[in-house]
Amino acid sequence: METEFLISLLQIIAIDILLGGDNAIVIALASRNLPEKQRNKAIFLGTGLAIVVRVVLTIVAVYLLNIPFLYLAGGILLLIIAYKLILEEDEELDVKAGKNLSDAVKTIVFADIAMGLDNVLAVAGAAHGNIVLVVIGLLVSVPIIIWGSKIILHFMERFPVLIYIGAGVLAFTSAGMIVEERMIHSVFEGNDLLKYGLYVFLVVGVILAGILTNTFKKKRAK
């Protein structure tokens, strides 16, 4: 049980860091016009409120996933997110700088909600209904995202393989959600070959699909 808890916790932390890299950029953009003292307040207040909102949304998602076939739908959606993560596309963030502390905090929180839906879904799937995992995962990963985002982004740019590893983590989580779906769980129960075969198929499949799509796009661009 402890091993399962630790694996799920590491999954959640990896997901938070992987899908939360843009949050630090949002914080910087939203507070860039404020005086330094207010900027620090905006960062701490905005991040604190964003964490609270993220925890609440994830807890809601955990319970919603108990509805029949939502785990299956969530797993498929997460698989699409994993695939899109690999695609080499430049996304520009359009975030307005706050004129005062209140504006900056609002921008940070609302941007986090808008950008964090994929994160919420992935964490809810990895948590398997354990709210403690959700809270611990966020408390560990959010400071890493805020203070270490530049380092994380630097390594991801320098070592693109990290993106593929991250997509593999999401695909692994997706497979877990599909296997855990109550309406089809009996199909996988007692059939380890089918169960672990699905994990391998989805992880390898997403990574290969991403590589092939990127290769095709590069050839087409030439």
Side-chain angles (χ1 to χ4, degrees):
M1 186 65 71
E2 288 181 5
T3 305
E4 287 180 12
F5 184 92
L6 184 60
I7 290 171
S8 294
L9 180 59
L10 290 173
Q11 265 184 275
I12 289 172
I13 292 171
I15 289 164
D16 280 329
I17 292 172
L18 190 71
L19 296 180
D22 287 341
N23 292 58
I25 301 170
V26 167
I27 291 168
L29 291 173
S31 59
R32 66 184 183 273
N33 287 345
L34 299 177
E36 191 171 345
K37 286 185 179 179
Q38 283 199 329
R39 192 180 302 162
N40 291 334
K41 284 183 181 178
I43 290 170
F44 285 110
L45 284 173
T47 304
L49 286 171
I51 291 172
V52 172
V53 172
R54 185 73 68 86
V55 170
V56 172
L57 288 176
T58 307
I59 290 171
V60 170
V62 165
Y63 288 112
L64 283 178
L65 285 174
N66 289 323
I67 298 172
F69 291 114
L70 266 183
Y71 244 87
L72 177 62
I76 294 169
L77 183 57
L78 191 55
L79 200 63
I80 295 168
I81 292 169
Y83 169 69
K84 286 184 176 179
L85 183 72
I86 297 175
L87 301 186
E88 295 173 358
E89 295 177 354
D90 295 324
E91 296 182 2
E92 292 186 6
L93 294 173
D94 181 21
V95 179
K96 293 180 180 178
K99 295 177 182 178
N100 53 51
L101 180 62
S102 176
D103 284 346
V105 171
K106 285 178 188 175
T107 300
I108 291 168
V109 173
F110 285 118
D112 182 81
I113 293 171
M115 295 166 56
L117 292 177
D118 53 356
N119 187 296
V120 165
L121 179 65
V123 170
H128 301 293
N130 192 328
I131 306 303
V132 175
L133 272 172
V134 174
V135 176
I136 294 175
L138 277 168
L139 290 176
V140 171
S141 56
V142 169
I144 296 173
I145 292 167
I146 295 167
W147 305 116
S149 60
K150 288 184 179 178
I151 298 170
I152 294 165
L153 291 171
H154 169 75
F155 276 105
M156 282 185 172
E157 286 173 2
R158 190 171 180 183
F159 304 106
V161 68
L162 292 175
I163 298 292
Y164 291 97
I165 292 171
V169 171
L170 292 183
F172 184 87
T173 305
S174 166
M177 290 176 73
I178 293 170
V179 168
E180 291 296 319
E181 169 58 56
R182 287 179 301 167
M183 305 304 289
I184 58 172
H185 183 66
S186 58
V187 175
F188 298 98
E189 199 170 13
N191 193 337
D192 288 343
L193 182 63
L194 181 63
K195 179 180 176 180
Y196 295 115
L198 179 69
Y199 277 91
V200 173
F201 175 75
L202 292 185
V203 172
V204 174
V206 161
I207 293 171
L208 278 178
I211 292 171
L212 290 172
T213 304
N214 285 334
T215 304
F216 176 75
K217 281 184 176 180
K218 285 177 182 177
K219 286 183 178 179
R220 195 174 179 183
K222 290 178 181 179

